[in-house]
PDB file of all heavy atoms in Angstrom:
ATOM      1  N   GLU N   1     -92.838  78.721  38.764  1.00 96.00           N
ATOM      2  CA  GLU N   1     -93.944  79.489  38.221  1.00 96.00           C
ATOM      3  C   GLU N   1     -94.852  79.942  39.405  1.00 96.00           C
ATOM      4  O   GLU N   1     -95.358  81.068  39.316  1.00 96.00           O
ATOM      5  CB  GLU N   1     -94.793  78.519  37.320  1.00 96.00           C
ATOM      6  CG  GLU N   1     -95.831  79.281  36.536  1.00 96.00           C
ATOM      7  CD  GLU N   1     -96.581  78.415  35.575  1.00 96.00           C
ATOM      8  OE1 GLU N   1     -96.082  77.290  35.178  1.00 96.00           O
ATOM      9  OE2 GLU N   1     -97.665  78.819  35.103  1.00 96.00           O
ATOM     10  N   ALA N   2     -95.059  79.181  40.447  1.00 95.00           N
ATOM     11  CA  ALA N   2     -95.797  79.578  41.585  1.00 95.00           C
ATOM     12  C   ALA N   2     -95.196  80.781  42.164  1.00 95.00           C
ATOM     13  O   ALA N   2     -95.919  81.774  42.554  1.00 95.00           O
ATOM     14  CB  ALA N   2     -95.908  78.433  42.638  1.00 95.00           C
ATOM     15  N   LEU N   3     -93.834  80.891  42.263  1.00 96.00           N
ATOM     16  CA  LEU N   3     -93.174  81.991  42.848  1.00 96.00           C
ATOM     17  C   LEU N   3     -93.184  83.247  41.995  1.00 96.00           C
ATOM     18  O   LEU N   3     -93.247  84.345  42.486  1.00 96.00           O
ATOM     19  CB  LEU N   3     -91.676  81.611  43.157  1.00 96.00           C
ATOM     20  CG  LEU N   3     -91.477  80.673  44.341  1.00 96.00           C
ATOM     21  CD1 LEU N   3     -90.072  80.016  44.322  1.00 96.00           C
ATOM     22  CD2 LEU N   3     -91.752  81.450  45.628  1.00 96.00           C
ATOM     23  N   ARG N   4     -93.300  83.000  40.650  1.00 95.00           N
ATOM     24  CA  ARG N   4     -93.446  84.144  39.763  1.00 95.00           C
ATOM     25  C   ARG N   4     -94.855  84.816  40.006  1.00 95.00           C
ATOM     26  O   ARG N   4     -94.980  85.994  39.861  1.00 95.00           O
ATOM     27  CB  ARG N   4     -93.363  83.715  38.291  1.00 95.00           C
ATOM     28  CG  ARG N   4     -91.933  83.618  37.844  1.00 95.00           C
ATOM     29  CD  ARG N   4     -91.748  83.506  36.363  1.00 95.00           C
ATOM     30  NE  ARG N   4     -92.398  82.268  35.786  1.00 95.00           N
ATOM     31  CZ  ARG N   4     -91.687  81.171  35.733  1.00 95.00           C
ATOM     32  NH1 ARG N   4     -90.438  81.014  36.121  1.00 95.00           N
ATOM     33  NH2 ARG N   4     -92.253  80.107  35.186  1.00 95.00           N
ATOM     34  N   ASN N   5     -95.794  83.934  40.341  1.00 94.00           N
ATOM     35  CA  ASN N   5     -97.171  84.507  40.634  1.00 94.00           C
ATOM     36  C   ASN N   5     -97.334  85.058  42.039  1.00 94.00           C
ATOM     37  O   ASN N   5     -98.159  85.976  42.275  1.00 94.00           O
ATOM     38  CB  ASN N   5     -98.247  83.427  40.401  1.00 94.00           C
ATOM     39  CG  ASN N   5     -98.342  83.054  38.963  1.00 94.00           C
ATOM     40  OD1 ASN N   5     -98.133  83.801  38.127  1.00 94.00           O
ATOM     41  ND2 ASN N   5     -98.647  81.776  38.734  1.00 94.00           N
ATOM     42  N   ASP N   6     -96.560  84.599  42.987  1.00 94.00           N
ATOM     43  CA  ASP N   6     -96.523  85.047  44.367  1.00 94.00           C
ATOM     44  C   ASP N   6     -95.159  84.785  44.962  1.00 94.00           C
ATOM     45  O   ASP N   6     -94.822  83.636  45.336  1.00 94.00           O
ATOM     46  CB  ASP N   6     -97.672  84.408  45.147  1.00 94.00           C
ATOM     47  CG  ASP N   6     -97.686  84.784  46.617  1.00 94.00           C
ATOM     48  OD1 ASP N   6     -96.860  85.747  46.937  1.00 94.00           O
ATOM     49  OD2 ASP N   6     -98.382  84.180  47.438  1.00 94.00           O
ATOM     50  N   SER N   7     -94.324  85.862  45.048  1.00 91.00           N
ATOM     51  CA  SER N   7     -93.001  85.730  45.517  1.00 91.00           C
ATOM     52  C   SER N   7     -92.868  85.313  46.965  1.00 91.00           C
ATOM     53  O   SER N   7     -91.827  84.906  47.448  1.00 91.00           O
ATOM     54  CB  SER N   7     -92.154  87.021  45.247  1.00 91.00           C
ATOM     55  OG  SER N   7     -92.779  88.055  45.893  1.00 91.00           O
ATOM     56  N   LEU N   8     -93.988  85.420  47.714  1.00 92.00           N
ATOM     57  CA  LEU N   8     -93.942  85.087  49.103  1.00 92.00           C
ATOM     58  C   LEU N   8     -94.647  83.752  49.359  1.00 92.00           C
ATOM     59  O   LEU N   8     -94.958  83.476  50.541  1.00 92.00           O
ATOM     60  CB  LEU N   8     -94.650  86.191  49.954  1.00 92.00           C
ATOM     61  CG  LEU N   8     -93.884  87.531  49.991  1.00 92.00           C
ATOM     62  CD1 LEU N   8     -94.706  88.532  50.777  1.00 92.00           C
ATOM     63  CD2 LEU N   8     -92.480  87.399  50.536  1.00 92.00           C
ATOM     64  N   CYS N   9     -94.817  82.947  48.306  1.00 94.00           N
ATOM     65  CA  CYS N   9     -95.369  81.589  48.529  1.00 94.00           C
ATOM     66  C   CYS N   9     -94.299  80.692  49.158  1.00 94.00           C
ATOM     67  O   CYS N   9     -93.415  80.136  48.428  1.00 94.00           O
ATOM     68  CB  CYS N   9     -95.796  80.994  47.184  1.00 94.00           C
ATOM     69  SG  CYS N   9     -96.653  79.435  47.364  1.00 94.00           S
ATOM     70  N   THR N  10     -94.357  80.629  50.490  1.00 96.00           N
ATOM     71  CA  THR N  10     -93.322  79.916  51.218  1.00 96.00           C
ATOM     72  C   THR N  10     -93.241  78.391  50.898  1.00 96.00           C
ATOM     73  O   THR N  10     -92.153  77.819  50.839  1.00 96.00           O
ATOM     74  CB  THR N  10     -93.415  80.162  52.689  1.00 96.00           C
ATOM     75  OG1 THR N  10     -94.774  79.751  53.090  1.00 96.00           O
ATOM     76  CG2 THR N  10     -93.158  81.593  53.121  1.00 96.00           C
ATOM     77  N   GLU N  11     -94.445  77.813  50.659  1.00 95.00           N
ATOM     78  CA  GLU N  11     -94.485  76.360  50.294  1.00 95.00           C
ATOM     79  C   GLU N  11     -93.686  76.111  49.030  1.00 95.00           C
ATOM     80  O   GLU N  11     -92.860  75.149  48.954  1.00 95.00           O
ATOM     81  CB  GLU N  11     -95.917  75.876  50.205  1.00 95.00           C
ATOM     82  CG  GLU N  11     -96.739  75.823  51.451  1.00 95.00           C
ATOM     83  CD  GLU N  11     -97.451  77.213  51.720  1.00 95.00           C
ATOM     84  OE1 GLU N  11     -97.215  78.174  50.914  1.00 95.00           O
ATOM     85  OE2 GLU N  11     -98.168  77.274  52.720  1.00 95.00           O
ATOM     86  N   ALA N  12     -93.950  76.989  48.030  1.00 96.00           N
ATOM     87  CA  ALA N  12     -93.267  76.778  46.739  1.00 96.00           C
ATOM     88  C   ALA N  12     -91.787  76.878  46.929  1.00 96.00           C
ATOM     89  O   ALA N  12     -90.978  76.160  46.402  1.00 96.00           O
ATOM     90  CB  ALA N  12     -93.807  77.724  45.776  1.00 96.00           C
ATOM     91  N   LEU N  13     -91.375  77.972  47.665  1.00 97.00           N
ATOM     92  CA  LEU N  13     -89.919  78.207  47.863  1.00 97.00           C
ATOM     93  C   LEU N  13     -89.251  77.046  48.678  1.00 97.00           C
ATOM     94  O   LEU N  13     -88.182  76.684  48.260  1.00 97.00           O
ATOM     95  CB  LEU N  13     -89.779  79.548  48.702  1.00 97.00           C
ATOM     96  CG  LEU N  13     -88.354  80.186  48.785  1.00 97.00           C
ATOM     97  CD1 LEU N  13     -87.647  80.279  47.442  1.00 97.00           C
ATOM     98  CD2 LEU N  13     -88.420  81.491  49.506  1.00 97.00           C
ATOM     99  N   TYR N  14     -89.923  76.592  49.697  1.00 97.00           N
ATOM    100  CA  TYR N  14     -89.439  75.508  50.401  1.00 97.00           C
ATOM    101  C   TYR N  14     -89.207  74.272  49.580  1.00 97.00           C
ATOM    102  O   TYR N  14     -88.183  73.577  49.542  1.00 97.00           O
ATOM    103  CB  TYR N  14     -90.247  75.140  51.644  1.00 97.00           C
ATOM    104  CG  TYR N  14     -89.754  74.081  52.617  1.00 97.00           C
ATOM    105  CD1 TYR N  14     -88.921  74.331  53.612  1.00 97.00           C
ATOM    106  CD2 TYR N  14     -90.064  72.766  52.356  1.00 97.00           C
ATOM    107  CE1 TYR N  14     -88.349  73.383  54.459  1.00 97.00           C
ATOM    108  CE2 TYR N  14     -89.659  71.798  53.249  1.00 97.00           C
ATOM    109  CZ  TYR N  14     -88.743  72.099  54.322  1.00 97.00           C
ATOM    110  OH  TYR N  14     -88.270  71.073  55.089  1.00 97.00           O
ATOM    111  N   ASN N  15     -90.282  73.909  48.829  1.00 97.00           N
ATOM    112  CA  ASN N  15     -90.288  72.764  47.965  1.00 97.00           C
ATOM    113  C   ASN N  15     -89.279  72.891  46.802  1.00 97.00           C
ATOM    114  O   ASN N  15     -88.684  71.871  46.398  1.00 97.00           O
ATOM    115  CB  ASN N  15     -91.668  72.390  47.403  1.00 97.00           C
ATOM    116  CG  ASN N  15     -92.605  71.951  48.561  1.00 97.00           C
ATOM    117  OD1 ASN N  15     -92.128  71.699  49.667  1.00 97.00           O
ATOM    118  ND2 ASN N  15     -93.845  71.771  48.273  1.00 97.00           N
ATOM    119  N   LEU N  16     -89.098  74.164  46.278  1.00 97.00           N
ATOM    120  CA  LEU N  16     -88.099  74.425  45.323  1.00 97.00           C
ATOM    121  C   LEU N  16     -86.723  74.049  45.872  1.00 97.00           C
ATOM    122  O   LEU N  16     -85.874  73.420  45.207  1.00 97.00           O
ATOM    123  CB  LEU N  16     -88.162  75.832  44.838  1.00 97.00           C
ATOM    124  CG  LEU N  16     -87.125  76.192  43.728  1.00 97.00           C
ATOM    125  CD1 LEU N  16     -87.291  75.393  42.409  1.00 97.00           C
ATOM    126  CD2 LEU N  16     -87.301  77.716  43.363  1.00 97.00           C
ATOM    127  N   GLY N  17     -86.444  74.456  47.137  1.00 97.00           N
ATOM    128  CA  GLY N  17     -85.208  74.156  47.820  1.00 97.00           C
ATOM    129  C   GLY N  17     -84.963  72.586  47.878  1.00 97.00           C
ATOM    130  O   GLY N  17     -83.869  72.165  47.585  1.00 97.00           O
ATOM    131  N   LEU N  18     -86.040  71.926  48.246  1.00 97.00           N
ATOM    132  CA  LEU N  18     -85.949  70.488  48.394  1.00 97.00           C
ATOM    133  C   LEU N  18     -85.674  69.877  46.997  1.00 97.00           C
ATOM    134  O   LEU N  18     -84.842  68.903  46.852  1.00 97.00           O
ATOM    135  CB  LEU N  18     -87.296  69.889  48.919  1.00 97.00           C
ATOM    136  CG  LEU N  18     -87.501  70.099  50.370  1.00 97.00           C
ATOM    137  CD1 LEU N  18     -88.854  69.402  50.720  1.00 97.00           C
ATOM    138  CD2 LEU N  18     -86.393  69.607  51.284  1.00 97.00           C
ATOM    139  N   ALA N  19     -86.324  70.322  45.904  1.00 97.00           N
ATOM    140  CA  ALA N  19     -86.081  69.829  44.629  1.00 97.00           C
ATOM    141  C   ALA N  19     -84.643  70.028  44.190  1.00 97.00           C
ATOM    142  O   ALA N  19     -83.964  69.136  43.684  1.00 97.00           O
ATOM    143  CB  ALA N  19     -87.066  70.543  43.567  1.00 97.00           C
ATOM    144  N   TYR N  20     -84.085  71.283  44.425  1.00 97.00           N
ATOM    145  CA  TYR N  20     -82.643  71.521  44.018  1.00 97.00           C
ATOM    146  C   TYR N  20     -81.757  70.670  44.851  1.00 97.00           C
ATOM    147  O   TYR N  20     -80.772  70.209  44.321  1.00 97.00           O
ATOM    148  CB  TYR N  20     -82.332  73.048  44.298  1.00 97.00           C
ATOM    149  CG  TYR N  20     -82.862  73.991  43.314  1.00 97.00           C
ATOM    150  CD1 TYR N  20     -83.262  75.234  43.666  1.00 97.00           C
ATOM    151  CD2 TYR N  20     -82.954  73.626  42.005  1.00 97.00           C
ATOM    152  CE1 TYR N  20     -83.824  76.213  42.702  1.00 97.00           C
ATOM    153  CE2 TYR N  20     -83.430  74.541  40.935  1.00 97.00           C
ATOM    154  CZ  TYR N  20     -83.814  75.767  41.413  1.00 97.00           C
ATOM    155  OH  TYR N  20     -84.242  76.670  40.380  1.00 97.00           O
ATOM    156  N   LYS N  21     -82.097  70.411  46.068  1.00 97.00           N
ATOM    157  CA  LYS N  21     -81.256  69.519  46.968  1.00 97.00           C
ATOM    158  C   LYS N  21     -81.267  68.165  46.339  1.00 97.00           C
ATOM    159  O   LYS N  21     -80.215  67.531  46.278  1.00 97.00           O
ATOM    160  CB  LYS N  21     -81.891  69.567  48.372  1.00 97.00           C
ATOM    161  CG  LYS N  21     -80.944  68.909  49.428  1.00 97.00           C
ATOM    162  CD  LYS N  21     -81.641  69.071  50.783  1.00 97.00           C
ATOM    163  CE  LYS N  21     -80.881  68.150  51.864  1.00 97.00           C
ATOM    164  NZ  LYS N  21     -81.622  68.195  53.123  1.00 97.00           N
ATOM    165  N   LYS N  22     -82.397  67.642  45.976  1.00 96.00           N
ATOM    166  CA  LYS N  22     -82.458  66.342  45.385  1.00 96.00           C
ATOM    167  C   LYS N  22     -81.702  66.215  44.073  1.00 96.00           C
ATOM    168  O   LYS N  22     -81.195  65.232  43.772  1.00 96.00           O
ATOM    169  CB  LYS N  22     -84.006  65.974  45.163  1.00 96.00           C
ATOM    170  CG  LYS N  22     -84.314  64.613  44.774  1.00 96.00           C
ATOM    171  CD  LYS N  22     -84.803  63.783  45.924  1.00 96.00           C
ATOM    172  CE  LYS N  22     -85.204  62.466  45.480  1.00 96.00           C
ATOM    173  NZ  LYS N  22     -85.296  61.459  46.575  1.00 96.00           N
ATOM    174  N   LEU N  23     -81.728  67.405  43.338  1.00 96.00           N
ATOM    175  CA  LEU N  23     -81.065  67.477  42.041  1.00 96.00           C
ATOM    176  C   LEU N  23     -79.552  67.728  42.240  1.00 96.00           C
ATOM    177  O   LEU N  23     -78.809  67.810  41.187  1.00 96.00           O
ATOM    178  CB  LEU N  23     -81.645  68.484  41.134  1.00 96.00           C
ATOM    179  CG  LEU N  23     -83.042  68.255  40.604  1.00 96.00           C
ATOM    180  CD1 LEU N  23     -83.737  69.495  40.086  1.00 96.00           C
ATOM    181  CD2 LEU N  23     -83.065  67.152  39.556  1.00 96.00           C
ATOM    182  N   ASN N  24     -79.107  67.786  43.426  1.00 96.00           N
ATOM    183  CA  ASN N  24     -77.740  68.100  43.799  1.00 96.00           C
ATOM    184  C   ASN N  24     -77.305  69.455  43.323  1.00 96.00           C
ATOM    185  O   ASN N  24     -76.106  69.699  43.052  1.00 96.00           O
ATOM    186  CB  ASN N  24     -76.767  66.994  43.286  1.00 96.00           C
ATOM    187  CG  ASN N  24     -75.550  66.848  44.193  1.00 96.00           C
ATOM    188  OD1 ASN N  24     -75.658  67.181  45.338  1.00 96.00           O
ATOM    189  ND2 ASN N  24     -74.494  66.373  43.601  1.00 96.00           N
ATOM    190  N   ARG N  25     -78.264  70.394  43.228  1.00 97.00           N
ATOM    191  CA  ARG N  25     -77.850  71.785  42.872  1.00 97.00           C
ATOM    192  C   ARG N  25     -77.890  72.585  44.215  1.00 97.00           C
ATOM    193  O   ARG N  25     -78.753  73.332  44.516  1.00 97.00           O
ATOM    194  CB  ARG N  25     -78.943  72.369  41.925  1.00 97.00           C
ATOM    195  CG  ARG N  25     -78.809  71.645  40.515  1.00 97.00           C
ATOM    196  CD  ARG N  25     -80.024  71.834  39.611  1.00 97.00           C
ATOM    197  NE  ARG N  25     -80.316  73.185  39.343  1.00 97.00           N
ATOM    198  CZ  ARG N  25     -81.459  73.453  38.461  1.00 97.00           C
ATOM    199  NH1 ARG N  25     -81.998  72.516  37.888  1.00 97.00           N
ATOM    200  NH2 ARG N  25     -81.682  74.737  38.213  1.00 97.00           N
ATOM    201  N   ILE N  26     -76.816  72.285  44.942  1.00 97.00           N
ATOM    202  CA  ILE N  26     -76.685  72.634  46.370  1.00 97.00           C
ATOM    203  C   ILE N  26     -76.738  74.209  46.565  1.00 97.00           C
ATOM    204  O   ILE N  26     -77.362  74.693  47.414  1.00 97.00           O
ATOM    205  CB  ILE N  26     -75.485  72.051  47.039  1.00 97.00           C
ATOM    206  CG1 ILE N  26     -75.557  70.453  46.950  1.00 97.00           C
ATOM    207  CG2 ILE N  26     -75.302  72.431  48.482  1.00 97.00           C
ATOM    208  CD1 ILE N  26     -76.775  69.898  47.496  1.00 97.00           C
ATOM    209  N   ASP N  27     -76.018  74.951  45.708  1.00 97.00           N
ATOM    210  CA  ASP N  27     -75.940  76.439  45.865  1.00 97.00           C
ATOM    211  C   ASP N  27     -77.330  76.989  45.642  1.00 97.00           C
ATOM    212  O   ASP N  27     -77.715  77.936  46.400  1.00 97.00           O
ATOM    213  CB  ASP N  27     -74.978  77.033  44.863  1.00 97.00           C
ATOM    214  CG  ASP N  27     -73.540  76.773  45.211  1.00 97.00           C
ATOM    215  OD1 ASP N  27     -73.230  76.412  46.407  1.00 97.00           O
ATOM    216  OD2 ASP N  27     -72.682  76.783  44.315  1.00 97.00           O
ATOM    217  N   GLU N  28     -78.097  76.523  44.696  1.00 97.00           N
ATOM    218  CA  GLU N  28     -79.453  77.032  44.430  1.00 97.00           C
ATOM    219  C   GLU N  28     -80.407  76.650  45.689  1.00 97.00           C
ATOM    220  O   GLU N  28     -81.245  77.410  46.035  1.00 97.00           O
ATOM    221  CB  GLU N  28     -79.938  76.478  43.136  1.00 97.00           C
ATOM    222  CG  GLU N  28     -79.320  77.146  41.901  1.00 97.00           C
ATOM    223  CD  GLU N  28     -79.587  76.333  40.636  1.00 97.00           C
ATOM    224  OE1 GLU N  28     -78.887  75.289  40.492  1.00 97.00           O
ATOM    225  OE2 GLU N  28     -80.336  76.821  39.807  1.00 97.00           O
ATOM    226  N   ALA N  29     -80.196  75.384  46.143  1.00 97.00           N
ATOM    227  CA  ALA N  29     -81.051  75.033  47.340  1.00 97.00           C
ATOM    228  C   ALA N  29     -80.728  75.900  48.516  1.00 97.00           C
ATOM    229  O   ALA N  29     -81.600  76.343  49.207  1.00 97.00           O
ATOM    230  CB  ALA N  29     -80.725  73.556  47.652  1.00 97.00           C
ATOM    231  N   LEU N  30     -79.352  76.151  48.697  1.00 98.00           N
ATOM    232  CA  LEU N  30     -79.002  77.114  49.819  1.00 98.00           C
ATOM    233  C   LEU N  30     -79.673  78.474  49.683  1.00 98.00           C
ATOM    234  O   LEU N  30     -80.175  79.056  50.660  1.00 98.00           O
ATOM    235  CB  LEU N  30     -77.515  77.180  49.883  1.00 98.00           C
ATOM    236  CG  LEU N  30     -76.857  78.064  50.955  1.00 98.00           C
ATOM    237  CD1 LEU N  30     -77.238  77.547  52.351  1.00 98.00           C
ATOM    238  CD2 LEU N  30     -75.387  78.208  50.855  1.00 98.00           C
ATOM    239  N   ASP N  31     -79.649  78.930  48.432  1.00 97.00           N
ATOM    240  CA  ASP N  31     -80.247  80.297  48.145  1.00 97.00           C
ATOM    241  C   ASP N  31     -81.755  80.297  48.561  1.00 97.00           C
ATOM    242  O   ASP N  31     -82.205  81.230  49.199  1.00 97.00           O
ATOM    243  CB  ASP N  31     -80.020  80.591  46.758  1.00 97.00           C
ATOM    244  CG  ASP N  31     -80.490  81.996  46.362  1.00 97.00           C
ATOM    245  OD1 ASP N  31     -80.070  82.994  47.180  1.00 97.00           O
ATOM    246  OD2 ASP N  31     -81.153  82.156  45.402  1.00 97.00           O
ATOM    247  N   CYS N  32     -82.424  79.254  48.191  1.00 97.00           N
ATOM    248  CA  CYS N  32     -83.890  79.155  48.585  1.00 97.00           C
ATOM    249  C   CYS N  32     -84.126  79.141  50.033  1.00 97.00           C
ATOM    250  O   CYS N  32     -84.967  79.931  50.574  1.00 97.00           O
ATOM    251  CB  CYS N  32     -84.481  77.930  47.983  1.00 97.00           C
ATOM    252  SG  CYS N  32     -84.670  77.838  46.193  1.00 97.00           S
ATOM    253  N   PHE N  33     -83.345  78.324  50.740  1.00 98.00           N
ATOM    254  CA  PHE N  33     -83.530  78.203  52.135  1.00 98.00           C
ATOM    255  C   PHE N  33     -83.084  79.480  52.939  1.00 98.00           C
ATOM    256  O   PHE N  33     -83.684  79.835  53.996  1.00 98.00           O
ATOM    257  CB  PHE N  33     -82.860  76.978  52.754  1.00 98.00           C
ATOM    258  CG  PHE N  33     -83.583  75.745  52.311  1.00 98.00           C
ATOM    259  CD1 PHE N  33     -82.931  74.744  51.555  1.00 98.00           C
ATOM    260  CD2 PHE N  33     -84.885  75.489  52.616  1.00 98.00           C
ATOM    261  CE1 PHE N  33     -83.523  73.655  51.106  1.00 98.00           C
ATOM    262  CE2 PHE N  33     -85.633  74.402  52.150  1.00 98.00           C
ATOM    263  CZ  PHE N  33     -84.870  73.468  51.467  1.00 98.00           C
ATOM    264  N   LEU N  34     -82.056  80.154  52.443  1.00 97.00           N
ATOM    265  CA  LEU N  34     -81.645  81.517  53.013  1.00 97.00           C
ATOM    266  C   LEU N  34     -82.755  82.559  52.899  1.00 97.00           C
ATOM    267  O   LEU N  34     -83.030  83.261  53.745  1.00 97.00           O
ATOM    268  CB  LEU N  34     -80.277  81.900  52.531  1.00 97.00           C
ATOM    269  CG  LEU N  34     -79.047  81.183  52.962  1.00 97.00           C
ATOM    270  CD1 LEU N  34     -77.876  81.594  52.186  1.00 97.00           C
ATOM    271  CD2 LEU N  34     -78.827  81.343  54.447  1.00 97.00           C
ATOM    272  N   LYS N  35     -83.378  82.548  51.662  1.00 97.00           N
ATOM    273  CA  LYS N  35     -84.465  83.484  51.452  1.00 97.00           C
ATOM    274  C   LYS N  35     -85.667  83.134  52.364  1.00 97.00           C
ATOM    275  O   LYS N  35     -86.297  83.968  52.982  1.00 97.00           O
ATOM    276  CB  LYS N  35     -84.947  83.333  49.950  1.00 97.00           C
ATOM    277  CG  LYS N  35     -84.152  84.004  48.975  1.00 97.00           C
ATOM    278  CD  LYS N  35     -84.673  83.887  47.583  1.00 97.00           C
ATOM    279  CE  LYS N  35     -83.696  84.404  46.518  1.00 97.00           C
ATOM    280  NZ  LYS N  35     -84.020  83.967  45.170  1.00 97.00           N
ATOM    281  N   LEU N  36     -85.869  81.851  52.539  1.00 97.00           N
ATOM    282  CA  LEU N  36     -87.021  81.427  53.485  1.00 97.00           C
ATOM    283  C   LEU N  36     -86.694  81.809  54.844  1.00 97.00           C
ATOM    284  O   LEU N  36     -87.599  82.162  55.594  1.00 97.00           O
ATOM    285  CB  LEU N  36     -87.138  79.928  53.320  1.00 97.00           C
ATOM    286  CG  LEU N  36     -88.248  79.299  52.531  1.00 97.00           C
ATOM    287  CD1 LEU N  36     -88.264  77.841  52.433  1.00 97.00           C
ATOM    288  CD2 LEU N  36     -89.647  79.802  52.996  1.00 97.00           C
ATOM    289  N   HIS N  37     -85.459  81.643  55.281  1.00 97.00           N
ATOM    290  CA  HIS N  37     -84.995  82.013  56.621  1.00 97.00           C
ATOM    291  C   HIS N  37     -85.344  83.518  56.907  1.00 97.00           C
ATOM    292  O   HIS N  37     -85.659  83.919  58.003  1.00 97.00           O
ATOM    293  CB  HIS N  37     -83.552  81.657  56.853  1.00 97.00           C
ATOM    294  CG  HIS N  37     -83.072  82.084  58.268  1.00 97.00           C
ATOM    295  ND1 HIS N  37     -83.631  81.512  59.405  1.00 97.00           N
ATOM    296  CD2 HIS N  37     -82.138  82.930  58.639  1.00 97.00           C
ATOM    297  CE1 HIS N  37     -83.060  82.068  60.424  1.00 97.00           C
ATOM    298  NE2 HIS N  37     -82.166  82.874  60.026  1.00 97.00           N
ATOM    299  N   ALA N  38     -85.166  84.381  55.872  1.00 96.00           N
ATOM    300  CA  ALA N  38     -85.416  85.753  56.064  1.00 96.00           C
ATOM    301  C   ALA N  38     -86.868  85.983  56.253  1.00 96.00           C
ATOM    302  O   ALA N  38     -87.309  86.903  56.979  1.00 96.00           O
ATOM    303  CB  ALA N  38     -84.894  86.548  54.858  1.00 96.00           C
ATOM    304  N   ILE N  39     -87.757  85.135  55.581  1.00 96.00           N
ATOM    305  CA  ILE N  39     -89.222  85.364  55.759  1.00 96.00           C
ATOM    306  C   ILE N  39     -89.704  84.608  56.957  1.00 96.00           C
ATOM    307  O   ILE N  39     -90.509  85.217  57.785  1.00 96.00           O
ATOM    308  CB  ILE N  39     -89.982  84.638  54.555  1.00 96.00           C
ATOM    309  CG1 ILE N  39     -89.474  85.370  53.243  1.00 96.00           C
ATOM    310  CG2 ILE N  39     -91.425  84.767  54.657  1.00 96.00           C
ATOM    311  CD1 ILE N  39     -89.911  84.602  51.968  1.00 96.00           C
ATOM    312  N   LEU N  40     -89.146  83.453  57.347  1.00 95.00           N
ATOM    313  CA  LEU N  40     -89.558  82.647  58.531  1.00 95.00           C
ATOM    314  C   LEU N  40     -88.304  82.344  59.393  1.00 95.00           C
ATOM    315  O   LEU N  40     -87.828  81.206  59.371  1.00 95.00           O
ATOM    316  CB  LEU N  40     -90.172  81.355  58.052  1.00 95.00           C
ATOM    317  CG  LEU N  40     -91.384  81.411  57.035  1.00 95.00           C
ATOM    318  CD1 LEU N  40     -91.676  80.037  56.417  1.00 95.00           C
ATOM    319  CD2 LEU N  40     -92.599  81.945  57.761  1.00 95.00           C
ATOM    320  N   PRO N  41     -87.899  83.320  60.213  1.00 95.00           N
ATOM    321  CA  PRO N  41     -86.688  83.087  60.901  1.00 95.00           C
ATOM    322  C   PRO N  41     -86.649  82.006  61.969  1.00 95.00           C
ATOM    323  O   PRO N  41     -85.620  81.514  62.371  1.00 95.00           O
ATOM    324  CB  PRO N  41     -86.433  84.491  61.549  1.00 95.00           C
ATOM    325  CG  PRO N  41     -87.709  85.213  61.508  1.00 95.00           C
ATOM    326  CD  PRO N  41     -88.463  84.659  60.409  1.00 95.00           C
ATOM    327  N   ASN N  42     -87.850  81.692  62.490  1.00 95.00           N
ATOM    328  CA  ASN N  42     -87.892  80.634  63.475  1.00 95.00           C
ATOM    329  C   ASN N  42     -88.516  79.311  63.046  1.00 95.00           C
ATOM    330  O   ASN N  42     -89.003  78.517  63.864  1.00 95.00           O
ATOM    331  CB  ASN N  42     -88.734  81.117  64.719  1.00 95.00           C
ATOM    332  CG  ASN N  42     -87.994  82.290  65.340  1.00 95.00           C
ATOM    333  OD1 ASN N  42     -86.834  82.250  65.575  1.00 95.00           O
ATOM    334  ND2 ASN N  42     -88.737  83.350  65.826  1.00 95.00           N
ATOM    335  N   SER N  43     -88.485  79.047  61.767  1.00 96.00           N
ATOM    336  CA  SER N  43     -89.001  77.809  61.163  1.00 96.00           C
ATOM    337  C   SER N  43     -88.042  76.695  61.365  1.00 96.00           C
ATOM    338  O   SER N  43     -86.870  76.752  60.893  1.00 96.00           O
ATOM    339  CB  SER N  43     -89.293  77.968  59.683  1.00 96.00           C
ATOM    340  OG  SER N  43     -89.511  76.682  59.140  1.00 96.00           O
ATOM    341  N   ALA N  44     -88.407  75.689  62.254  1.00 97.00           N
ATOM    342  CA  ALA N  44     -87.563  74.628  62.496  1.00 97.00           C
ATOM    343  C   ALA N  44     -87.127  73.835  61.248  1.00 97.00           C
ATOM    344  O   ALA N  44     -85.945  73.444  61.094  1.00 97.00           O
ATOM    345  CB  ALA N  44     -88.232  73.640  63.466  1.00 97.00           C
TER     346      ALA N  44
END
């Protein structure tokens, strides 16, 4: 919902990736982190 209101909300996208990872929805988690990498290419 946060991302629907602001598609560039990096905190929501990162945490969504973590939630998917925890839920073992690995492909969806990977998708979130690849999108984030496009926005934040040097984020450790």
Side-chain angles (χ1 to χ4, degrees):
E1 191 177 343
L3 286 164
R4 280 193 294 273
N5 293 329
D6 178 6
S7 60
L8 294 177
C9 182
T10 53
E11 294 87 353
L13 189 54
Y14 184 86
N15 291 353
L16 180 61
L18 290 180
Y20 282 146
K21 190 176 169 187
K22 189 101 172 159
L23 291 164
N24 210 26
R25 290 160 61 176
I26 301 303
D27 289 338
E28 289 164 284
L30 179 62
D31 187 46
C32 288
F33 290 119
L34 286 171
K35 282 179 188 167
L36 260 175
H37 179 62
I39 301 166
L40 306 167
N42 293 320
S43 166

